[in-house]
Amino acid sequence: LCEIYGAGGWDLRFEDMKRIGDWLGVLGVNLFDEHLSYATLRGARKRDHPQSFSYHEPWWEAYHVNARYLTRLSYALSQGEQINDVLVLEPTTTAWMYQGNEARLKELGDAFFNLLMALEVAQVEYDIGDEDIIARHGANAGARLVVGQRHYTTLVLPPGTENLDAPTLKIIEEFLRRGGTVLSCSEPPARVDGTISERGVALARSKSWRRVEASAVPAQMRAAAGPDGFAIHRQPGDKGILFHQRRQLADGQLLFLVNTSIDQSSAGTVEVSLHGVEQWDLATGKTDAVAFEKTAQGVRT
């Protein structure tokens, strides 16, 4: 759920609304709540977080075009399941140690953001892991780290990870012992529950622990393609800002591609081990056939 368009301005265009909606949708939002509808514009309200979604707007009679598009987008992205094999751990408990140290917090935040954006640029599929949720819903199953209904074979520790909570560390220890892979973008965490500990250093002795630079993680993830052969190949020199979300359906897959650049196009090819391709037009609700070629593994379009 996202309260969308807040403080977008009185001059927010339908083009902007679609671009913002697509960006939120591709990153996981599937229920949109427009911000807001004014009852009055007296006083400071005229300049406080415009625009207003109501009949006062000159474009209100045409807003159904964007609303129906978002309705279809929400419906489509609520179907099936998004199943990713990589879990990227948030450095939240490390950040807790630096409350009040704005420079260090910014360093941690920027490094984590840059890692995620590099994965997005490389079209790597991943989930973000939270230590509190892992403590309550995490477990091990063979060489997989289990969180709720999801299973992961690779765990990524982002740059600057200095601390792990004890429950998280226990699960990672077992994960490594059973053959799961940990990619660490920094030295092993030196603290457990905020206290200096050798347990993090012991993790790095596992043959499944790999110390990698954050810049090398996307390439390693792309090289480890899934069993269905899914891959997105961007054209050389592509300057678009491309994101994607893939959902597994009972009878196929749904792929949502979004280029959020306002002035650069994006192009390339998609490969997957399926038997055909069709396009769902969110503006009309219609489906159409799409040209594709057969490959040894499936199709390319």
Side-chain angles (χ1 to χ4, degrees), residues 25-301:
V26 77
L27 291 177
V29 174
N30 58 21
L31 183 58
F32 300 96
D33 167 27
E34 288 91 342
H35 172 104
L36 48 70
S37 296
Y38 282 109
T40 175
L41 288 179
R42 288 182 176 177
R45 295 175 182 85
K46 184 174 182 179
R47 297 171 181 85
D48 179 37
H49 292 80
Q51 67 297 317
S52 175
F53 288 85
S54 70
Y55 62 89
H56 300 96
E57 292 283 7
W59 42 258
W60 184 244
E61 294 300 321
Y63 184 67
H64 66 276
V65 174
N66 187 64
R68 289 174 181 171
Y69 176 88
L70 290 182
T71 298
R72 295 187 182 102
L73 177 63
S74 299
Y75 178 80
L77 296 182
S78 300
Q79 304 308 299
E81 298 181 281
Q82 186 179 9
I83 302 176
N84 300 324
D85 192 54
V86 177
L87 186 67
V88 181
L89 192 69
E90 291 179 327
T92 304
T93 61
T94 298
W96 286 347
M97 300 191 304
Y98 290 98
Q99 293 306 305
N101 186 338
E102 295 300 324
R104 180 58 178 147
L105 289 174
K106 184 178 187 306
E107 182 181 3
L108 280 168
D110 288 349
F112 186 61
F113 175 82
N114 291 337
L115 172 62
L116 297 186
M117 289 304 99
L119 293 173
E120 295 290 348
V121 169
Q123 307 308 304
V124 173
E125 298 176 336
Y126 65 93
D127 288 338
I128 296 177
D130 173 82
E131 288 198 68
D132 180 58
I133 291 176
I134 291 173
R136 289 185 284 120
H137 304 287
N140 294 98
R144 292 178 176 270
L145 190 158
V146 179
V147 184
Q149 298 180 27
R150 292 294 174 262
H151 296 226
Y152 305 96
T153 61
T154 301
L155 174 68
V156 179
L157 301 184
T161 302
E162 299 178 33
N163 181 79
L164 293 173
D165 281 352
T168 305
L169 182 63
K170 182 178 179 181
I171 288 174
I172 294 176
E173 288 171 338
E174 183 66 13
F175 178 59
L176 285 168
R177 190 184 70 79
R178 297 184 180 207
T181 299
V182 173
L183 302 182
S184 179
C185 299
S186 56
E187 296 304 314
R191 295 177 181 271
V192 178
D193 290 339
T195 302
I196 293 292
S197 171
E198 293 296 319
R199 291 177 67 187
V201 175
L203 292 176
R205 300 191 186 107
S206 169
K207 63 181 181 181
S208 298
W209 176 283
R210 301 178 195 169
R211 170 70 172 89
V212 297
E213 294 300 321
S215 59
V217 173
Q220 290 201 23
M221 294 295 95
R222 280 184 62 86
D228 62 356
F230 173 79
I232 295 175
H233 303 286
R234 304 180 67 175
Q235 286 187 355
D238 185 343
K239 296 182 180 179
I241 307 174
L242 183 67
F243 296 83
H244 85 269
Q245 182 185 149
R246 186 164 60 118
R247 304 190 68 81
Q248 306 289 338
L249 308 177
D251 56 352
Q253 299 180 15
L254 186 153
L255 176 64
F256 183 44
L257 293 160
V258 172
N259 173 24
T260 66
S261 173
I262 201 168
D263 53 14
Q264 297 287 344
S265 62
S266 188
T269 60
V270 177
E271 294 182 359
V272 68
S273 58
L274 296 176
H275 303 292
V277 184
E278 66 180 21
Q279 176 178 297
W280 295 6
D281 188 338
L282 296 176
T284 64
K286 297 180 179 179
T287 61
D288 296 297
V290 173
F292 62 88
E293 59 180 298
K294 288 283 189 178
T295 67
Q297 292 74 34
V299 297
R300 179 189 299 115
T301 185

